[in-house]
Amino acid sequence: MSRDRAFVEELLTLADVRLDGERPWDIAVHDDRLFHRVVSAGSLGLGEAYMDGWWDCERLDVLFDRLLSARLDRKVHPLRFAWHAARSRLFNRQRRSRAFEIGERHYDIGNDLYERMLDRRMIYSCGYWREADDLDAAQEAKLDLICRKLRLAPGQRVLDIGCGWGGAAAWAAEKYGVSVVGITVSREQVALATERWGHLPVEFRLQDWRDVEGPFDRIFSIGMFEHVGYKNYRRFFEKVRSLLAPDGLFVLHTIGGNRSVTRTDPWIERYIFPNSMLPSARQITTGYEDLFALEDWHSFGHDYDRTLMCWHERFENTWPEIAERYGERFRRMWRYYLLSCAGSFRSRRNQLWQLVLSPD
């Protein structure tokens, strides 16, 4: 047995995971080069090896719940990533000149993919499952929850920072009689949102948050703050404060982490969300200190596990319709993304927060 295999096998015992075992969360090894790749490249190597077909697992979501609950991600520290960690502290990786990269590399990859994976309104963020039985109901419950927290009323002017495919803006306009400006860094999202919802009092713009001009009676941001970056948190909250009416409200819906960090997982960074990172509670509160008063902090990260599992089911069920365009390696990458993230929420390593803030 190689030294690398012995090291990986010893680590996995801490999470009760076996190599070539028979349980759904055990790892089936197809290529012994896997072990050196994991030891030398950590989570990036593990993810790339899965994409390349070097290993499989029947229940990736359960596997990652076990790995993360056992904190195994903190036990492998490849030297090759020391520079990446330093770079994230030295440079602003979410600066204005890179703002549109996430749109081009993630959100613009194909509306056909997202139409099949998401709910009918194409809401690409955590649903609210408290009284919902399916994905459509969970997303509509989340949208209405945000609108009620904002205390929307007819005639108000509202800003949606990170509007996606327009579903949230359309809900607010339809159900509450407000007009909405939605901004995104994705050309495909602007095009589809305008086509779908152009009959409503909504306007969708390809625009960075730093370039918006106000004022607005209400502002919300759903699943966009993860792309702001810790070096920009203060500036982000200052910008929102400058755009918001003195008696306004701001709802921030974001994934959060239990620790303050300066970068994201290397595999997620390379293949899914470039220039992203999850904020901690401390980073958020420091960012808005002396600008906003906290009215409410709502945590329901367990709902994201269920949302991701729904997305995965819909993705797999409709895969034959888009397989020729995207290819098998993409399928493995996307499956790995959805199920590893489900495991991260199940293990409580990732959180989902909604904050209601008022001008201080």
Side-chain angles (χ1 to χ4, degrees), residues 104-359:
E104 296 167 356
R105 290 180 53 188
H106 186 82
Y107 300 106
D108 287 349
I109 59 177
N111 286 337
D112 56 347
L113 165 66
Y114 292 111
E115 284 174 325
R116 287 163 174 78
M117 184 181 83
L118 304 178
D119 64 295
R120 62 188 176 190
R121 291 179 177 270
M122 296 183 69
I123 306 299
Y124 194 22
S125 55
C126 180
Y128 188 52
W129 291 90
R130 184 175 180 178
E131 298 178 358
D133 295 322
D134 58 54
L135 184 60
D136 286 330
Q139 293 295 10
E140 290 182 354
K142 185 267 298 295
L143 297 180
D144 209 58
L145 179 67
I146 290 172
C147 291
R148 287 185 282 113
K149 287 179 177 180
L150 286 167
R151 301 176 190 172
L152 294 187
Q156 290 176 338
R157 187 170 188 249
V158 179
L159 174 65
D160 178 356
I161 303 177
C163 64
W165 290 273
W171 180 272
E174 273 187 305
K175 306 297 182 179
Y176 288 85
V178 299
S179 63
V180 186
V181 172
I183 65 167
T184 175
V185 292
S186 164
R187 294 182 184 277
E188 292 296 322
Q189 288 182 337
V190 168
L192 187 58
T194 302
E195 178 185 337
R196 277 195 171 191
W197 310 114
H199 61 286
L200 296 170
V202 293
E203 176 191 356
F204 299 107
R205 303 174 183 171
L206 185 68
Q207 189 173 41
D208 181 58
W209 58 268
R210 282 162 281 226
D211 298 325
V212 182
E213 296 182 358
F216 295 91
D217 300 297
R218 300 288 190 268
I219 300 176
F220 63 87
S221 180
I222 306 174
M224 172 272 177
F225 195 67
E226 300 89 334
H227 304 307
V228 170
Y230 79 105
K231 288 183 177 291
N232 302 310
Y233 289 160
R234 184 65 179 180
R235 184 177 180 185
F236 177 86
F237 284 111
E238 289 174 341
K239 181 64 176 181
V240 172
R241 179 63 184 84
S242 72
L243 295 172
L244 190 60
D247 60 348
L249 290 171
F250 171 46
V251 167
L252 177 67
H253 172 115
T254 183
I255 301 172
N258 296 331
R259 297 191 302 163
S260 295
V261 298
T262 60
R263 64 189 180 97
T264 194
D265 171 81
W267 186 85
I268 290 289
E269 161 74 23
R270 177 171 294 185
Y271 291 100
I272 307 299
F273 295 117
N275 309 324
S276 66
M277 59 161 287
L278 302 184
S280 68
R282 181 175 68 179
Q283 288 170 327
I284 292 174
T285 56
T286 299
Y288 72 68
E289 186 174 351
D290 293 330
L291 295 171
F292 289 98
L294 177 65
E295 303 294 345
D296 184 65
W297 191 307
H298 185 183
S299 177
F300 52 101
H302 53 280
D303 285 27
Y304 223 145
D305 177 9
R306 188 170 178 182
T307 302
L308 284 154
M309 295 304 292
C310 282
W311 290 346
H312 171 256
E313 181 181 11
R314 293 168 66 92
F315 170 70
E316 294 289 356
N317 287 343
T318 59
W319 173 252
E321 300 172 16
I322 57 175
E324 186 175 351
R325 178 182 174 191
Y326 290 93
E328 183 61 22
R329 195 166 192 266
F330 179 93
R331 181 187 190 180
R332 293 180 68 87
M333 178 188 77
W334 208 253
R335 176 193 297 147
Y336 189 88
Y337 151 52
L338 295 173
L339 294 179
S340 64
C341 287
S344 71
F345 283 98
R346 198 173 306 165
S347 66
R348 308 301 294 134
R349 294 294 297 279
N350 286 354
Q351 310 295 329
L352 189 284
W353 299 321
Q354 280 187 2
L355 284 70
V356 181
L357 302 172
S358 63

Side-chain angles (χ1 to χ4, degrees), residues 34 37-38 41-51 55 64 67 336:
L34 166 69
R37 198 169 186 178
V38 170
S43 64
L44 177 62
L46 182 67
E48 289 183 331
Y50 182 81
M51 292 165 61
W55 65 278
F64 276 95
L67 298 181
Y336 189 88

